Amino acid sequence: MKNYQNPKGTYDVSPEMAAKYQQLEGTLESLAHFYGYEEIRTPIFEDTGVFKRENDSSDMVNKEMYTFSMNGKDSFTLRPEGTAGVVRSYVQNKMYANADQPVKMYYYGPMFRHEHPQKGRYRQFEQFGIECIGAKSPMLDAEGIALGYSMIKTLGLSNVRVRINSLGDDESRKNYRAKLTEYFRPHAEELCADCKRRLEQNPLRILDCKVDADNPVMKDVPLISDSLNEPSKEYFREVLACLDALVIPYVIDPKLVRGLDYYTDTVFEVENITGKAGAQATVFAGGRYDGLVSYFGGPEVSGFGFAMGMERLILLAEDEGVKLDEKPKTDVYVMSLGNVGTKPLELATEARALGYITDFNYAPRSLKAQFKTVDRLDAKITVIAGESELAEGKVNIKNNRTKEQVTVSLEDYADTLDEMMEDILNETDSL
Ligand code: ATP
Ligand code: MG
């Protein structure tokens, strides 16, 4: 016999945890719809090239991908993020030809990265993300951030802060890369091994390094804001003006570059500021990407998106003492007394058809045990299917709030349930 455990960096979602996830998904989905986003589902794995693009220097692509081949020829990768697959699909399905641009899509599901697992950092984790592809406007950047921000607020969370920066257009970034290379080259020996490689490949990445974050050479590093050309500066100013208009608080972080290579202009991160989350403080993050659609063979159109980590959201909720798992309570419980055959199941089914969350007793159990179940579930109404009453075509129904009980004919069962439930709900409202 072997005792298996779930792989390192993964976790089981228990039925209690599932309630939290469902609550989260429901809230995020309905807000996304509210902002005009519709769901897209792409494969969990793609051709490796979808994620590993030419010259990509990010850690995620170079160190963290689960890549496999079943025939020694084709290489596939478990998706480490959602954007690339969605953009691949946008191009493949010629969504750029839709009359209405941008196309606004959201996705939800597991992502895979081979990381060092810790609280809030897993190898399989869930992301909810949005992509708004096919148009470029500062209003769209601000609207995307506003959507994520309203998700956090709607969940009842408040301790977050938006950090924002602009990476500018191609020309601005080229300027900046040259300045960074010039600055870091004399300090190459003081950088970590990865940053030495980044210096040659993409010096912007050095600013995102967690190892060198406190390295003294970082102190006087040139800032991108000094390398932005006038159009890039103007775009950034407009994004900030939109955020001001939407009353979304933010801080400009001139060193924010983000971990993926495809960003242009706006980049942002929204972090937990309770101080307990440490390096896992970022709850959602994203930005604009100008070159990704054309990279996949589509037209020169821009996109904007963000991804939100569900585990981080749950951590934030725990930090703030916000409950995400207010499970809907059982409305009706059907007890059985004596030899009543399949009647409890039938009565439960009828109650469910009326829209009530219902459960029933299916095996012979003492009345005491059944009443305990009713208490535990905190059911609003108890239906008692008794052998002798049923023989006369009747059933007992009890209002658990007032403790009043009535005996009614089976024909009146549904109406009585409805009336009783209405009384109970009115009573609760007036409290
Ligand atoms: P970090 O800097 O924390 O590694 P990242 O920049 O790699 O984050 P993104 O690729 O922007 O993260 O992903 C967006 C969001 O997904 C993050 O803000 C975070 O909430 C979540 N996330 C990313 N990686 C993980 C992971 N390994 N486990 C759990 N959540 C994650
Ligand atoms: Mg990361």
Side-chain angles (χ1 to χ4, degrees):
M1 201 180 84
K2 289 213 162 152
N3 285 312
Y4 288 108
Q5 302 221 320
N6 59 308
K8 192 175 165 192
T10 68
Y11 57 90
D12 296 318
V13 178
S14 64
E16 292 92 67
M17 281 291 287
K20 284 192 194 183
Y21 277 90
Q22 285 166 3
Q23 163 85 11
L24 274 178
E25 287 161 42
T27 307
L28 303 186
E29 246 175 27
S30 57
L31 276 165
H33 288 146
F34 204 64
Y35 278 68
Y37 284 79
E38 281 174 295
E39 188 178 14
I40 178 164
R41 300 186 189 190
T42 60
I44 302 275
F45 64 96
E46 297 268 4
D47 280 326
T48 298
V50 170
F51 307 113
K52 195 178 172 67
R53 291 174 299 276
E54 285 153 35
N55 301 323
D56 195 307
S57 60
S58 67
D59 276 4
M60 189 198 79
V61 167
N62 289 289
K63 294 200 215 156
E64 298 172 357
M65 298 210 306
Y66 284 91
T67 296
F68 60 95
S69 171
M70 301 303 286
N71 59 7
K73 293 202 304 261
D74 306 317
S75 174
F76 298 105
T77 295
L78 294 182
R79 64 179 186 194
E81 55 116 357
T83 305
V86 173
V87 174
R88 193 264 312 136
S89 177
Y90 176 87
V91 174
Q92 180 184 338
N93 296 296
K94 300 193 172 53
M95 291 186 216
Y96 49 79
N98 292 3
D100 284 316
Q101 300 291 328
V103 179
K104 291 169 151 187
M105 295 173 275
Y106 72 84
Y107 58 84
Y108 176 77
M111 305 294 159
F112 305 84
R113 297 184 194 178
H114 192 263
E115 302 209 56
H116 178 57
Q118 44 198 298
K119 195 177 172 191
R121 189 175 294 284
Y122 301 90
R123 290 180 174 174
Q124 174 175 340
F125 57 99
E126 300 280 325
Q127 277 186 344
F128 188 100
I130 61 151
E131 308 296 343
C132 169
I133 314 176
K136 183 168 183 175
S137 156
M139 285 194 281
L140 294 174
D141 301 41
E143 186 200 35
I145 297 172
L147 170 54
Y149 196 73
S150 73
M151 287 172 167
I152 302 280
K153 294 284 165 189
T154 306
L155 291 168
L157 305 170
S158 52
N159 290 327
V160 295
R161 182 175 60 178
V162 180
R163 284 191 302 127
I164 190 165
N165 192 22
S166 171
L167 301 180
D169 59 8
D170 282 347
E171 185 187 76
S172 305
R173 274 195 319 286
K174 212 170 138 218
N175 277 339
Y176 186 48
R177 261 201 288 273
K179 278 197 201 165
L180 279 182
T181 312
E182 196 185 326
Y183 173 81
F184 279 120
R185 195 149 276 151
H187 299 286
E189 287 316 308
E190 297 152 51
L191 297 171
C192 77
D194 281 327
C195 282
K196 277 189 203 122
R197 175 180 54 81
R198 292 174 182 132
L199 181 54
E200 300 313 319
Q201 233 184 335
N202 182 359
L204 249 81
R205 287 274 73 75
I206 301 175
L207 302 183
D208 200 40
C209 179
K210 292 191 170 94
V211 178
D212 274 330
D214 298 324
N215 190 329
V217 291
M218 294 298 178
K219 234 183 101 219
D220 298 316
V221 78
L223 299 178
I224 179 107
S225 41
D226 297 323
S227 297
L228 294 183
N229 59 19
E230 203 37 55
S232 298
K233 275 187 195 157
E234 178 54 22
Y235 191 86
F236 191 36
R237 273 196 294 268
E238 285 177 35
V239 172
L240 299 181
C242 288
L243 288 177
D244 290 335
L246 295 172
V247 204
I248 293 177
Y250 57 84
V251 291
I252 298 173
D253 178 351
K255 290 188 186 165
L256 179 69
V257 294
R258 306 273 308 112
L260 297 162
D261 268 1
Y262 49 63
Y263 289 112
T264 51
D265 286 305
T266 315
V267 287
F268 73 97
E269 293 193 354
V270 177
E271 61 188 4
N272 177 352
I273 49 169
T274 57
K276 293 189 211 160
Q280 277 64 253
T282 310
V283 184
F284 72 102
R288 179 159 289 285
Y289 42 87
D290 279 349
L292 208 48
V293 176
S294 58
Y295 179 88
F296 283 106
E300 289 283 341
V301 294
S302 182
F304 179 91
F306 71 68
M308 194 175 267
M310 292 303 105
E311 298 77 10
R312 308 262 176 107
L313 261 188
I314 290 173
L315 277 182
L316 177 59
E318 278 168 10
D319 278 357
E320 292 196 23
V322 170
K323 265 190 147 43
L324 297 172
D325 54 347
E326 290 296 334
K327 265 192 276 185
K329 291 239 175 78
T330 305
D331 294 313
V332 177
Y333 188 83
V334 183
M335 290 174 45
S336 54
L337 188 60
N339 187 6
V340 290
T342 57
K343 210 68 200 170
L345 172 60
E346 289 167 40
L347 290 168
T349 304
E350 205 175 335
R352 285 177 189 143
L354 295 170
Y356 301 132
I357 299 175
T358 307
D359 215 339
F360 71 100
N361 182 62
Y362 63 93
R365 284 200 303 157
S366 72
L367 268 189
K368 199 170 153 203
Q370 294 189 49
F371 273 120
K372 276 206 175 131
T373 303
V374 172
D375 277 348
R376 219 175 14 250
L377 295 174
D378 194 24
K380 296 184 188 73
I381 293 176
T382 309
V383 174
I384 304 155
E387 187 176 345
S388 50
E389 285 89 354
L390 282 173
E392 296 171 21
K394 289 184 176 152
V395 65
N396 294 315
I397 307 180
K398 183 177 171 191
N399 176 331
N400 288 329
R401 300 292 180 258
T402 62
K403 312 285 176 212
E404 281 164 79
Q405 184 173 317
V406 291
T407 306
V408 298
S409 72
L410 286 171
E411 292 88 79
D412 293 335
Y413 171 65
D415 285 346
T416 313
L417 272 187
D418 273 343
E419 280 159 29
M420 203 176 267
M421 197 60 81
E422 198 172 325
D423 286 348
I424 291 172
L425 296 178
N426 286 340
E427 190 62 30
T428 327
D429 279 351
S430 63
L431 283 181

